[in-house]
Amino acid sequence: MITEMKNDRNYVLCYTREPQEDIIYANKLAYSMHLAYSADGERYEALNHNSGVLFAKATDNENGTMNAKSLKSPYLFQLADGKFGVVAIRTEHDGQPDEQSKGSVLLFTSADLLQYNEVGLIDLKGDTYVKDVACLYDATSGTYIIHWTDENGNSYRNVLADLFSLSGASAPEQAEALAHDSVSASIEGIVPRNAISVSAEIGQRLVCRLTVPTNVAMKVPEQVTAASAEELNAIRATAVYSDGTTAAKSIKWQAAEVNWNVPGTYRVSGTVHQDRYSFPTMEHRADPNIAKWNGKYYFIATNDADHNQTLYIRVSDSISGLVHAEESLILDTKTYNPIKGLLWAPELHTIEGSLYIFHAATTGEFFYEESHVMKLREGGNPTVAADWSEPMRVVKQDGSYLCEAGKVISLDMTVIQLNGECYAAWSERQFLPVDIGAWIYIAKLDPKEPWRLISDPVLLSKPDYGWANNHTFVDEGPFAIIRDNKLFLTFSSAAVDATYCVGLLTVDTNVDLLDPRSWTKGNYPLLTSRSVPGEFGTGHNSYVTDEDGVLWNVYHGRPGVEAPRCSGLRRVHFDIDGYPVLDLTEDKDLNPALTAVTIEVVVK
């Protein structure tokens, strides 16, 4: 638990980590900037599960491929305007010297130490590799001074009148050797750098955003007037969390002694309740999706049990009922000639009153995997295979197929409906002439024929951060949450192993979704193998709202590093800034010591 803040100033320590086994905490993860917090400048506690919050971006090649990069020796400092800067040494992905960064250091800026902007490489005008670096603002001269040490142990200083003029540094001058204040912290794998003082407001926000909140209080009305058990059951408890956020909870009331036909005042006890699901919830089911249709809930997922050769669907009156519901086969690789295998990532979406399944399938080998759409006939039963249309390949607005078969694949298509418009977002990977990795695109969709795009695809994200290109360059599995004038598009990255993780794109709901400049990409993942003990490679999320209005994260993960993919469910919380929290586990979400409540019921 983070130490309570009592001072007007708090302290933030930046650091990197020593790499661990490749599948656990590889170089691409360890060589990033991490943050720790302290209320007194002495006792530091890791933020964000002791995982990185700032990663160097990959560089682009002319053929579309990328060169993964990492960073070492980050140095955190304050800018003249009170915001923050970070200088760091950019390296190759494995921490080795980066030829493109020789004689330069990488500059980032941030307003809050949560979201960062990579400005670029500052040319220090030295033909040697930088081994250590620091930067300070000199208020007397109004300039920034960069101190650095080269690979031979020589120390220099450069002066910049304008920090953002990347080529505007003065010639390097010989200087005294760099000396950092010693900072010690008992944090696993820590390679400490420097600590700075920040306002209590900044410190509090970092703690609230980069730690998992816990349930600390429960509020219910002292008295309620009700005429029936149904009216009483509509009363919700308000769970209060350590960061000041709240969430509504249902209550199971023991109201047997209330005579609803006799006016009076009754004291009623109750137990705060929330559904909870042990992990794994459904074994050998990946890329899971739950949707509500005509008052019932349906579950569909990639079937790892038969190597992705079939799609089964489950139905129940409640989400919890899906866990043990029977499965009905609705698609296999024998019914339709073009569908030969690799049935991946099915999603149920209702568009203009009709139900569709978006999924990927191949006409032959892996390199022919393409997005398809199936439509439920009017009045049809989603659990009956014959009531679904033959899968249709997604086409562009000119009628041609979305991807060139055998060269580019498409998969993980989802639907976003906003402001009367319908959009598709999906992952696309070019393999020929070179493999450039999987990128996420968005386009408008024809709601009458939702297998047809009606705008050109627009690139939203490519795997340019180390956590996204860990083992392979992949961004995939987009799915939207729309809440409070924000659209959150979570997506999954890295290899589909224990390094799999969840990133976040954010956009305001009143802007053009097809303008990539409107979107903000988070610097660090929301969910990783470090987030929840015993869950590895968590990702490929979708979301569903239950009958109580609770939003659930439907995801897959592995109960062990080498274990099979399995589905899980966890409530989605929202932090102090309204951003989704995907790692609030049941033990922190609902404190058992706070679930017993009472209320005074007035029957009139």
Side-chain angles (χ1 to χ4, degrees):
M1 184 66 182
I2 296 297
T3 309
E4 182 181 355
M5 290 170 281
K6 300 179 180 179
N7 305 320
D8 292 334
R9 303 296 293 179
N10 302 141
Y11 302 88
V12 175
L13 166 67
C14 74
Y15 63 98
T16 58
R17 285 187 53 180
E18 295 287 353
Q20 295 177 289
E21 298 93 327
D22 184 65
I23 200 72
I24 301 298
Y25 210 64
N27 294 352
K28 288 183 178 181
L29 304 180
Y31 297 142
S32 62
M33 189 177 81
H34 301 55
L35 293 179
Y37 162 80
S38 174
D40 56 14
E42 296 179 2
R43 293 166 295 176
Y44 284 92
E45 297 173 71
L47 298 173
N48 197 37
H49 301 291
N50 195 18
S51 298
V53 299
L54 174 59
F55 293 75
K57 285 185 177 180
T59 58
D60 296 316
N61 298 316
E62 290 185 2
N63 64 359
T65 60
M66 290 181 286
N67 301 308
K69 301 295 180 182
S70 294
L71 64 82
K72 286 185 175 181
S73 304
Y75 189 91
L76 182 60
F77 63 100
Q78 288 196 296
L79 302 175
D81 61 3
K83 296 179 181 178
F84 303 95
V86 177
V87 287
I89 300 165
R90 193 177 74 182
T91 70
E92 296 292 354
H93 68 88
D94 58 359
Q96 295 302 307
D98 171 30
E99 180 68 28
Q100 294 175 312
S101 302
K102 192 174 186 179
S104 302
V105 292
L106 193 56
L107 171 66
F108 304 87
T109 59
S110 176
D112 54 10
L113 300 180
L114 291 166
Q115 187 65 37
Y116 296 82
N117 174 47
E118 184 174 314
V119 180
L121 290 167
I122 298 176
D123 183 5
L124 300 179
K125 299 178 171 58
D127 188 26
T128 182
Y129 288 107
V130 179
K131 298 297 288 185
D132 197 3
V133 64
C135 184
L136 295 170
Y137 175 67
D138 181 3
T140 303
S141 64
T143 60
Y144 290 90
I145 301 173
I146 296 181
H147 296 262
W148 56 286
T149 302
D150 69 9
E151 57 189 324
N152 301 313
N154 302 310
S155 296
Y156 303 92
R157 68 193 294 270
N158 299 72
V159 179
L160 292 93
D162 180 3
L163 185 65
F164 300 97
S165 176
L166 300 178
S167 60
S170 66
E173 302 174 358
Q174 291 281 346
E176 294 183 1
L178 274 172
H180 298 297
D181 292 336
S182 176
V183 179
S184 61
S186 56
I187 296 173
E188 179 191 18
I190 186 172
V191 180
R193 288 294 291 158
N194 74 303
I196 64 169
S197 170
V198 299
S199 67
E201 180 183 3
I202 290 288
Q204 175 70 56
R205 189 157 177 260
L206 283 174
V207 169
C208 290
R209 286 290 303 275
L210 296 177
T211 59
V212 181
T214 58
N215 178 208
V216 296
M218 196 70 65
K219 296 181 179 179
V220 296
E222 293 183 3
Q223 186 183 81
V224 64
T225 299
S228 66
E230 289 75 19
E231 290 185 13
L232 177 61
N233 290 333
I235 301 298
R236 295 286 183 265
T238 299
V240 182
Y241 296 86
S242 53
D243 59 359
T245 56
T246 61
K249 306 288 184 185
S250 62
I251 306 171
K252 291 184 176 180
W253 296 106
Q254 289 85 53
E257 296 182 2
V258 177
N259 188 335
W260 299 105
N261 297 314
V262 178
T265 299
Y266 301 83
R267 173 62 60 178
V268 177
S269 298
T271 303
V272 179
H273 168 77
Q274 180 179 283
D275 289 339
R276 59 187 300 166
Y277 300 90
S278 58
F279 181 82
T281 308
M282 292 92 152
E283 295 184 352
H284 299 285
R285 294 294 184 267
D287 315 326
N289 175 250
I290 296 175
K292 194 171 186 179
W293 166 257
N294 287 350
K296 293 184 180 294
Y297 291 93
Y298 294 85
F299 171 86
I300 193 168
T302 300
N303 185 2
D304 282 357
D306 67 3
H307 306 290
N308 319 141
Q309 300 301 298
T310 56
L311 291 181
Y312 285 86
I313 197 167
R314 304 183 188 190
V315 60
S316 176
D317 292 330
S318 64
I319 293 176
S320 59
L322 292 171
V323 176
H324 299 295
E326 292 185 1
E327 294 187 321
S328 299
L329 178 66
I330 58 168
L331 183 65
D332 58 24
T333 57
K334 302 174 182 177
T335 304
Y336 302 107
N337 187 54
I339 304 299
K340 298 300 185 184
L342 302 182
L343 300 176
W344 287 345
E347 291 185 9
L348 292 153
H349 291 280
T350 303
I351 303 173
E352 293 193 348
S354 295
L355 186 64
Y356 297 88
I357 294 177
F358 287 71
H359 68 91
T362 180
T363 56
E365 300 301 322
F366 166 69
F367 297 102
Y368 291 83
E369 188 79 3
E370 293 294 340
S371 295
H372 288 71
V373 181
M374 300 165 62
K375 182 179 181 179
L376 183 70
R377 69 171 179 83
E378 187 175 352
N381 183 344
T383 65
V384 176
D387 286 350
W388 289 98
S389 71
E390 180 176 348
M392 296 165 281
R393 276 182 66 179
V394 174
V395 298
K396 295 185 287 188
Q397 55 183 333
D398 63 2
S400 63
Y401 289 130
L402 177 58
C403 297
E404 186 176 356
K407 294 184 178 181
V408 182
I409 67 171
S410 64
L411 64 157
D412 298 356
M413 185 167 283
T414 191
V415 175
I416 304 169
Q417 300 184 72
L418 180 68
N419 299 330
E421 301 284 358
C422 191
Y423 302 85
W426 69 96
S427 181
E428 190 172 301
R429 185 168 186 170
Q430 172 191 297
F431 283 99
L432 295 174
V434 292
D435 181 1
I436 65 173
W439 300 2
I440 292 176
Y441 291 85
I442 189 171
K444 278 190 178 181
L445 201 61
D446 182 354
K448 306 292 185 186
E449 298 179 322
W451 53 90
R452 184 183 303 278
L453 306 183
I454 56 174
S455 74
D456 290 333
V458 173
L459 174 64
L460 284 187
S461 178
K462 56 184 181 179
D464 47 5
Y465 290 130
W467 50 267
N469 53 55
N470 201 1
H471 292 183
T472 188
F473 287 76
V474 165
D475 279 354
E476 63 183 18
F479 203 94
I481 300 171
I482 300 173
R483 184 179 187 268
D484 294 343
N485 302 316
K486 290 281 188 185
L487 190 158
F488 302 104
L489 192 70
T490 58
F491 61 94
S492 297
S493 294
V496 188
D497 54 22
T499 64
Y500 208 47
C501 59
V502 178
L504 181 67
L505 290 158
T506 308
V507 68
D508 291 338
T509 55
N510 60 351
V511 302
D512 181 7
L513 300 191
L514 300 185
D515 183 355
R517 296 170 298 180
S518 300
W519 293 80
T520 300
K521 185 176 181 178
N523 300 100
Y524 55 90
L526 293 184
L527 196 63
T528 74
S529 291
R530 299 184 61 80
S531 300
V532 178
E535 297 187 11
F536 301 88
T538 44
H540 205 112
N541 310 65
S542 65
Y543 306 94
V544 62
T545 302
D546 70 13
E547 52 269 28
D548 291 325
V550 176
L551 183 66
W552 291 92
N553 173 24
V554 190
Y555 64 97
H556 78 236
R558 301 172 186 269
V561 173
E562 302 294 338
R565 299 188 299 178
C566 303
S567 296
L569 290 101
R570 185 179 302 115
R571 186 181 74 85
V572 179
H573 190 69
F574 291 91
D575 68 19
I576 57 171
D577 293 327
Y579 281 67
V581 177
L582 304 181
D583 53 358
L584 179 60
T585 52
E586 289 81 356
D587 58 322
K588 295 182 178 180
D589 193 3
L590 190 58
N591 185 342
L594 302 174
T595 57
V597 295
T598 61
I599 194 170
E600 194 173 78
V601 179
V602 178
V603 177
K604 291 186 178 180

